[in-house]
Amino acid sequence: MDNQPRLTLHIPEPPARPGDHPDFGGMKLPKAGETMRPDVDAAEPTMRDMPFGMIRVLDDGHRAVGPWDPHLDVDVLHRGLRAMMLTRAFDDRLFRAHRQGKTSFYMKSTGEEAIAVAQSLMLGARDMCFPTYRVVGWLMARNYPLLDLVNQIFSNAGDPLRGRQLPILYSARDYGFYSISGNLGSRFGHAVGWAMASAYKGDDRIALAYVGEGTTAEGGFHEAITFASVYRAPVILCVTNNQWAISSFSGIAGANETTFAAKALAYGIPGLRVDGNDFLAVWAATQWAAQRARLNLGATLIELFTYRAAGHSTADDPAKYRPADEARQWPLGDPIDRLRDHLIALGEWDEERHAALQSALDEEVRAAVRAGEAIGTLGKSKPDLASMFEDVFKDPDWRVLEQRREMGV
Amino acid sequence: MPVMNMVQALNNALDEKLGADPDVLIFGEDVGYFGGVFRVTDGLQAKHGLTRCFDTPIAEGGIIATAIGMGAYGLRPVVEIQFADYILPAFDQLVSEAARLRYRSNGEFWAPLTVRTPYGGGIFGGQTHSQSPEAIFTHVVGLKTVVPSNPYDAKGLLIAAIEDDDPVIILEPKRIYNGPFDGHHDRPLKTWAGHPMAEVPEGLYRVPLGKAAVVREGRDVTVLAYGTMVHVALAGIEEAGVDAELLDLRSLVPLDIDAIVASVRKTGRCVVLHEASRFGGFGGELLALVQERCFDHLKAPIDRVAGWDTPYPHAFEWDYFPGPARLMAALRRVMEY
Ligand SMILES: Cc1ncc(C[n+]2csc(CCOP(=O)(O)OP(=O)(O)O)c2C)c(N)n1
């Protein structure tokens, strides 16, 4: 053997496992207001350090500071807060409904509510979001009927998708919300194609797409960015880095080597890294990327740094693979608390009104769930069976017609 | 009427659709400036402009994903996968996304894309340029799969596919792009010139998806074929000296089941011929359908001739390619049963 060390195989491990103290010591967090804001029409080579900074607006005193402060109307802040609180109330209630056997499956977006809500409110009604299963806040922000969501989750006779999709894999075209697929990363490219089509038609609509940080490893992610970059598609490509992909920590997707925003560098598009628990920062970064897209300056990759405070889904117990109190130690806090505290600091909100809104929203969710239960929970009520055979093609072919007859519907 | 080979007919269909419908876009690897490695998109970029016909990165999954998004927006993208063999990187997009978007969104979104791809052997392309993957598409609910066998159908089917609101895959038998090929590789190559099916009208016309063509009427046995094998079947039937009826299926999904059933009930015998390997091939589905629907009319077991269950071997291409002699043997078997 040569006089060299033996080769060793490296398998990354998270800093803390169950029983350990949560450890976020290695995280470099720029202060609020510290990261520069390039002009929207600045050339990409002038902003190659952006992926290593972090856009933050809310400071420790709950004030909006720095060049990224979007100076939002108080009314918008209230709408954002309400939609985030509604999202959480809905998640909590429907998660329980799963535990009570009323549905087969549920996934929460606890801790990540600022992302979908801010982006939904920021973008236009005619833009299109290519969502993941963790952005129901998008629909909450646009006042999608809660009962329709509940019915979809219960796969009951009122299910707007007629029992065809796993709970929470919604589709809501009129709300700018594309159909969710179970195959991770597979629709990132659809957003790029949709945005290219809008550009081709001389339209003014742009697209926004999400993947989780774990999904950045999928080929579809890289293909989509390649196309977005080559054709300067008017699309905002978002990575919600919530630190965990089921039980695998973000290092398994490459986070120990670089940032997810830095994936943009190789494609020559701007890569922004954003405090995903800061409603104002998410808004400002999205606005910046949207302006670039609308000016024909192409795509932006945004890493939204956040933390998945709850389990991956109803099917896992996060305490089995990470410290139970890790969420509480997460240095970027809770997005709802932070926006609440900001509004309080502005003198536009107080604990009493907050508690009153909370109970009003809880009641709103309870009423929707009750109405959904009255139609029926999973297995107790179903969409029309004959509808199972519809929409395979625009017009059914003989196989579908014959098999429907064979089934007697 | 102009006489065209299949490449020209396909090119003409694309040209006409680009001219008629601003929502039609064409893209794929090398299809823009260069006009495609088989020249099917030749001249289209020069005539219709960069945004109507353009080159893509080498990313088949990305090509199909982009087309799905465009389709969801409301365009009618027509994409080329350079060889059918390279469709596998895009398979998830076709199966999980294009085929199911309408269903899973309850009709809110759909993907009216057309995927063109040259396929099949007989050109010494080795195993990665010769395969016939139709069965892996026909098994996917929500995809339509069509296979032209001549210039007239190629243009009409392609136009119908582009106008269809569901995802359609057109498998273009590249062996017969420039002339019909009947499996006699040791004879001089033929061209489409003079062939009645090479008279291709100008303007837009459609060959409907789901309608087979009776290429040859006969009383004794029905031969089911598509693509290059239609020409092999004609040669095999002639050499066997049987009064066979030959159906060119043209479209595998939707399938013209009525035409198949009517023919087999008339003749009482059936042989299926395809180039793809046999086990799990589309021929198995055809056999099952004929058995289910024509059993009382059958005078002999249904037979099938197909490629062998090996990868397409470069050196043994003519041993693999199902030629007229193998069909002839099958026809004799069912006639003498
Ligand atoms: C192609 C594919 N592979 C695997 C899965 C199973 N799966 C579902 S969610 C998930 C983890 C996703 O993690 P991430 O992208 O970080 O998103 P997050 O759940 O954290 O929001 C996996 C592996 C899947 N749905 N699709």
Side-chain angles (χ1 to χ4, degrees), chain B residues 9 13 144-164 168 170 197 199-201 203-214 248-251 253-254 256:
Chain B
K144 294 180 175 173
T145 305
V146 304
V147 192
S149 72
N150 60 69
Y152 178 91
D153 286 354
K155 178 173 172 184
L157 283 169
L158 178 51
I159 290 168
I162 295 171
E163 293 174 355
D164 198 277
V168 184
I170 298 208
M197 294 300 229
E199 291 188 0
V200 177
L204 294 171
Y205 68 90
R206 286 109 198 140
V207 171
L209 310 187
K211 284 275 170 266
V214 180
D248 175 359
L249 297 180
R250 298 201 289 204
S251 162
V253 175
D256 192 348

Side-chain angles (χ1 to χ4, degrees), chain B residues 232-273:
Chain B
V232 173
L234 276 172
I237 290 166
E238 188 151 322
E239 286 159 37
V242 293
D243 188 14
E245 180 147 298
L246 172 60
L247 253 56
D248 175 359
L249 297 180
R250 298 201 289 204
S251 162
L252 309 186
V253 175
L255 181 70
D256 192 348
I257 188 68
D258 294 340
I260 295 170
V261 168
S263 178
V264 177
R265 287 192 176 171
K266 180 174 88 175
T267 62
R269 297 182 183 85
C270 182
V271 175
V272 172
L273 171 65

Side-chain angles (χ1 to χ4, degrees), chain B:
Chain B
M1 202 175 291
V3 172
M4 297 186 194
N5 64 29
M6 270 178 83
V7 172
Q8 292 160 333
L10 291 160
N11 179 277
N12 183 244
L14 296 173
D15 186 20
E16 302 261 11
K17 282 306 294 177
L18 282 171
D21 183 353
D23 288 342
V24 171
L25 292 189
I26 294 168
F27 53 98
E29 294 159 21
D30 302 300
V31 307
Y33 184 81
F34 178 56
V37 294
F38 289 100
R39 321 298 303 146
V40 172
T41 56
D42 193 25
L44 297 179
Q45 183 179 78
K47 179 167 173 188
H48 297 279
L50 266 177
T51 62
R52 303 299 303 283
C53 177
F54 55 86
D55 293 328
T56 62
I58 303 169
E60 291 75 15
I63 292 170
I64 303 291
T66 304
I68 293 170
M70 288 182 170
Y73 178 93
L75 303 184
R76 292 194 177 276
V78 185
V79 300
E80 177 176 299
I81 299 294
Q82 204 158 65
F83 288 87
D85 311 71
Y86 303 126
I87 219 155
L88 296 178
F91 200 48
D92 178 50
Q93 285 297 329
L94 290 167
V95 176
S96 314
E97 305 297 327
R100 292 196 210 139
L101 183 56
R102 180 189 297 282
Y103 194 78
R104 73 161 194 250
S105 70
N106 194 33
E108 287 197 327
F109 299 94
W110 59 94
L113 69 148
T114 302
V115 183
R116 293 182 34 249
T117 188
Y119 91 106
I123 58 146
F124 282 93
Q127 50 184 273
T128 58
H129 299 85
S130 303
Q131 296 167 87
S132 299
E134 65 270 24
I136 64 176
F137 302 124
T138 57
H139 189 61
V140 177
V141 175
L143 294 180
K144 294 180 175 173
T145 305
V146 304
V147 192
S149 72
N150 60 69
Y152 178 91
D153 286 354
K155 178 173 172 184
L157 283 169
L158 178 51
I159 290 168
I162 295 171
E163 293 174 355
D164 198 277
D165 284 332
D166 295 308
V168 184
I169 295 170
I170 298 208
L171 295 169
E172 300 170 0
K174 56 183 176 286
R175 187 64 186 81
I176 56 173
Y177 267 156
N178 294 307
F181 176 67
D182 62 9
H184 288 295
H185 58 93
D186 42 0
R187 296 185 192 166
L189 286 181
K190 292 186 220 155
T191 73
W192 283 107
H195 196 286
M197 294 300 229
E199 291 188 0
V200 177
E202 313 249 11
L204 294 171
Y205 68 90
R206 286 109 198 140
V207 171
L209 310 187
K211 284 275 170 266
V214 180
V215 178
R216 184 190 192 285
E217 290 196 37
R219 274 172 313 191
D220 291 340
V221 52
T222 298
V223 176
L224 304 178
Y226 47 91
T228 307
M229 289 299 128
V230 170
H231 305 277
V232 173
L234 276 172
I237 290 166
E238 188 151 322
E239 286 159 37
V242 293
D243 188 14
E245 180 147 298
L246 172 60
L247 253 56
D248 175 359
L249 297 180
R250 298 201 289 204
S251 162
L252 309 186
V253 175
L255 181 70
D256 192 348
I257 188 68
D258 294 340
I260 295 170
V261 168
S263 178
V264 177
R265 287 192 176 171
K266 180 174 88 175
T267 62
R269 297 182 183 85
C270 182
V271 175
V272 172
L273 171 65
H274 66 56
E275 193 184 322
S277 54
R278 182 155 63 192
F279 189 90
F282 190 67
E285 182 59 42
L286 291 172
L287 257 68
L289 287 167
V290 170
Q291 197 277 145
E292 282 164 8
R293 285 157 203 255
C294 306
F295 187 75
D296 289 344
H297 301 259
L298 288 176
K299 300 176 196 150
I302 316 155
D303 211 328
R304 62 176 155 164
V305 175
W308 307 119
D309 292 314
T310 71
Y312 218 112
H314 187 245
F316 303 114
E317 184 142 325
W318 298 126
D319 303 284
Y320 184 96
F321 192 89
R326 288 179 55 204
L327 178 66
M328 198 160 68
L331 289 171
R332 296 232 171 96
R333 276 198 301 276
V334 297
M335 293 307 295
E336 288 163 14
Y337 178 78

Side-chain angles (χ1 to χ4, degrees), chain A residues 68-322:
Chain A
W68 287 93
D69 178 5
H71 301 288
L72 295 181
D73 282 354
V74 171
D75 168 53
V76 172
L77 299 178
H78 277 136
R79 278 165 56 206
L81 182 67
R82 182 184 192 282
M84 284 159 67
M85 290 168 72
L86 180 59
T87 303
R88 190 165 297 177
F90 188 86
D91 274 351
D92 288 345
R93 184 94 206 161
L94 273 296
F95 190 88
R96 267 186 313 204
H98 170 265
R99 293 290 186 245
Q100 294 160 352
K102 290 173 184 162
T103 184
S104 59
F105 184 70
Y106 196 77
M107 293 171 105
K108 299 163 97 176
S109 47
T110 311
E112 307 175 34
E113 294 91 342
I115 293 168
V117 169
Q119 298 192 311
S120 178
L121 289 176
M122 198 276 125
L123 285 181
R126 297 175 67 253
D127 296 326
M128 186 66 75
C129 152
F130 291 73
T132 64
Y133 43 70
R134 248 185 257 291
V135 294
V136 71
W138 180 282
L139 294 172
M140 298 298 182
R142 295 184 176 207
N143 300 316
Y144 185 85
L146 294 187
L147 178 57
D148 285 354
L149 296 178
V150 172
N151 288 339
Q152 202 278 325
I153 291 161
F154 289 167
S155 284
N156 65 20
D159 177 356
L161 300 183
R162 295 198 284 179
R164 292 171 182 177
Q165 280 270 56
L166 199 65
I168 75 164
L169 298 190
Y170 313 111
S171 177
R173 184 182 182 124
D174 293 344
Y175 294 78
F177 196 88
Y178 188 73
S179 159
I180 303 180
S181 168
N183 295 44
L184 292 173
S186 60
R187 295 153 318 104
F188 222 48
H190 300 193
V192 175
W194 195 95
M196 287 170 66
S198 177
Y200 167 78
K201 291 295 273 185
D203 201 347
D204 61 358
R205 308 166 74 185
I206 63 172
L208 177 145
Y210 295 103
V211 290
E213 88 289 345
T215 303
T216 59
E218 287 280 0
F221 171 81
H222 300 274
E223 288 178 333
I225 307 189
T226 300
F227 277 67
S229 155
V230 168
Y231 302 109
R232 290 199 199 145
V235 63
I236 306 172
L237 299 168
C238 300
V239 177
T240 53
N241 176 6
N242 65 9
Q243 316 287 315
W244 291 91
I246 311 187
S247 69
S248 303
F249 87 117
S250 56
I252 291 293
N256 289 357
E257 317 305 324
T258 187
T259 71
F260 293 99
K263 308 262 176 200
L265 293 175
Y267 299 93
I269 65 172
L272 306 183
R273 196 149 172 264
V274 181
D275 176 349
N277 288 13
D278 178 341
F279 182 88
L280 298 176
V282 176
W283 182 293
T286 310
Q287 188 173 40
W288 185 91
Q291 275 171 6
R292 271 186 77 88
R294 293 192 207 282
L295 289 171
N296 280 312
L297 296 167
T300 302
L301 182 71
I302 303 183
E303 174 183 350
L304 298 145
F305 204 41
T306 181
Y307 184 85
R308 195 194 77 212
H312 171 74
S313 73
T314 43
D316 78 323
D317 172 5
K320 293 257 156 62
Y321 52 76
R322 66 187 191 189

